[in-house]
Amino acid sequence: MLRDFADHKFHRRIMQQAFKKPALAGYLERMNPRIAGGIEAWPEHSPFTFFDRIKALLLDVGAQIFLGLDMGPEAARVNQSFIDAADASLAVLRLPIPGTLWHRGQTGRRFLERFMTDQIPQKRQARVPDFFSELCKAAEQEGGLSDQDVVNHMIFLLFAAHDTTTSTLCSLVYLLAKHPQWQDALAAEIDGIGGDTVGYEDLERMEKTGWVFRETLRLRPPLTTFPRRTAEEVTFNGYTLPRNTLVNLSPLYTHYMPEYWSHPERFDPERFGTERAEHKGHHYQWIPFGGGHHKCLGLNFAELQTKTFLFHFLRRYRVGVADGYEMPVQLVPLAMPKDGLPVTIQPR
């Protein structure tokens, strides 16, 4: 995320091996039983906070897929460390004073670094492939990657793989609870696939689910701003921006521009269908994953993980929120429900 030019290209080429089709198909095989088993214990008929449940589940899935680890007693500590490290970006006072956001963030980051570093020796010898072991081996074979580089990449990968999808699924489940007709439409689509698991080729058949995924990311993108710097002098709307000017792009503005979206405030997944295809008016009008050289590597993984969760969740449960409930949202560092999103689930 913080690299540019040749250095960025080198690291991106190595990291993108984790998101090619064979790798994604392999993830799906391991993801199905994890998600199906994980939601079985969710309480029925009684309200619970969806955020806490989905975040813990996706951390478990991400750790198994990318790290080849079954999270044990340290799962809670790892999860809290990710939260503290992310929240530290909001700190105004950036001094290591105990009890402050910055101090908690530094403590969380150091724990994650130790946790990942301790795994490296055994990952170099691992015979069962996972992305962590493959990255360790690539670091040795290609050169140019230190152990610290590997640790940094794995921390960011695991963060991106579960925190951003946590944000997306909180918003998506909330919108489905507020629009039950779409919840029924997705459940019917999923029933049409049949079977107890979803296969890689089945994902393309989940067309309406894909529309809802994209519309959720339009209305409520997990990242609400993208900081960039101009690589060269550029003129935009009559203004000249010198080289190396800080520019902030806001999906929350772009995704609501009426010149590109009809009734942009409305939840309308059909705008992404082939008949209307509103998202094709401009290459950069739908940007939840950014764009250009830094476009998120995990966009296909995010859709795969979201569809897999919804396949198991909606074929088993109907979800609702209290009458009149409106989800309060914090927008930074990621869009998340302030109250944890209290929901109730009923068996279908």
Side-chain angles (χ1 to χ4, degrees):
M1 183 176 67
L2 300 178
R3 298 173 185 272
D4 283 306
F5 308 117
D7 179 49
H8 170 259
K9 186 176 181 180
F10 170 73
H11 285 263
R12 186 180 178 94
R13 179 174 58 80
I14 294 175
M15 292 295 290
Q16 69 187 6
Q17 303 302 316
F19 300 107
K20 292 188 175 180
K21 182 177 178 179
L24 292 174
Y27 299 156
L28 184 57
E29 290 182 11
R30 286 175 278 171
M31 200 179 290
N32 269 301
R34 286 274 172 170
I35 291 177
I39 64 175
E40 282 183 0
W42 288 11
E44 299 175 1
H45 308 292
S46 299
F48 65 90
T49 50
F50 182 80
F51 170 83
D52 294 324
R53 297 280 178 164
I54 192 62
K55 192 174 193 305
L57 175 60
L58 294 183
L59 176 63
D60 180 66
V61 170
Q64 203 278 330
I65 287 174
F66 293 113
L67 307 183
L69 300 175
D70 290 313
M71 296 301 286
E74 60 228 327
R77 178 78 185 276
V78 171
N79 209 346
Q80 188 60 50
S81 295
F82 274 113
I83 294 172
D84 291 343
D87 285 349
S89 66
L90 304 177
V92 176
L93 181 64
R94 300 197 170 195
L95 295 173
I97 300 173
T100 62
L101 273 178
W102 189 251
H103 183 265
R104 287 197 297 271
Q106 286 189 319
T107 301
R109 174 72 190 196
R110 284 194 294 268
F111 172 79
L112 293 172
E113 288 181 350
R114 289 195 302 272
F115 178 79
M116 296 293 181
T117 300
D118 289 346
Q119 309 293 328
I120 289 178
Q122 65 191 65
K123 287 298 176 183
R124 287 201 178 107
Q125 307 300 322
R127 294 186 178 181
V128 179
D130 56 69
F131 185 71
F132 196 178
S133 61
E134 292 301 310
L135 184 59
C136 288
K137 292 170 186 175
E140 284 190 313
Q141 293 168 2
E142 299 216 17
L145 280 183
S146 65
D147 284 358
Q148 186 61 51
D149 287 330
V150 171
V151 166
N152 290 339
H153 284 317
M154 292 311 305
I155 290 174
F156 184 68
L157 181 65
L158 190 56
F159 166 78
H162 90 283
D163 254 17
T164 53
T165 310
T166 293
S167 170
T168 299
L169 282 173
C170 284
S171 296
L172 194 155
V173 164
Y174 167 70
L175 289 169
L176 288 182
K178 298 288 280 187
H179 301 86
Q181 72 277 19
W182 274 101
Q183 192 173 159
D184 293 339
L186 266 55
E189 181 175 75
I190 288 165
D191 287 343
I193 292 176
D196 296 329
T197 61
V198 59
Y200 190 79
E201 303 304 326
D202 294 326
L203 297 175
E204 291 186 8
R205 298 168 57 193
M206 297 174 69
E207 182 181 34
K208 292 181 180 178
T209 308
W211 296 350
V212 170
F213 171 71
R214 290 169 179 79
E215 178 69 340
T216 298
L217 290 174
R218 184 189 69 83
L219 286 169
R220 296 168 176 266
L223 291 167
T224 57
T225 183
F226 297 122
R228 295 286 189 267
R229 286 192 178 273
T230 55
E232 58 187 40
E233 184 178 292
V234 62
T235 298
F236 179 74
N237 280 2
Y239 292 91
T240 298
L241 305 178
R243 179 181 177 276
N244 203 34
T245 299
L246 177 64
V247 179
N248 279 299
L249 309 177
S250 175
L252 276 178
Y253 181 86
T254 305
H255 289 179
Y256 285 80
M257 294 174 72
E259 55 264 52
Y260 295 108
W261 308 100
S262 61
H263 304 288
E265 302 287 338
R266 183 183 300 169
F267 177 68
D268 183 9
E270 289 182 342
R271 71 174 79 244
F272 287 92
T274 53
E275 290 186 9
R276 290 169 60 186
E278 288 188 10
H279 58 297
K280 294 187 176 181
H282 190 287
H283 188 61
Y284 289 113
Q285 73 179 77
W286 187 75
I287 52 170
F289 297 101
H293 292 297
H294 278 271
K295 189 172 184 178
C296 178
L297 281 169
L299 72 168
N300 292 322
F301 177 83
E303 183 168 357
L304 176 149
Q305 191 171 42
T306 297
K307 285 184 173 180
T308 305
F309 171 79
L310 291 173
F311 174 88
H312 293 285
F313 184 69
L314 293 179
R315 68 190 297 268
R316 186 183 185 101
Y317 300 119
R318 173 180 291 276
V319 62
V321 293
D323 290 343
Y325 171 78
E326 298 291 334
M327 185 175 75
V329 181
Q330 69 172 48
L331 295 179
V332 291
L334 290 175
M336 294 290 186
K338 290 181 179 180
D339 60 355
L341 180 56
V343 301
T344 304
I345 57 175
Q346 314 282 349
R348 281 199 175 271

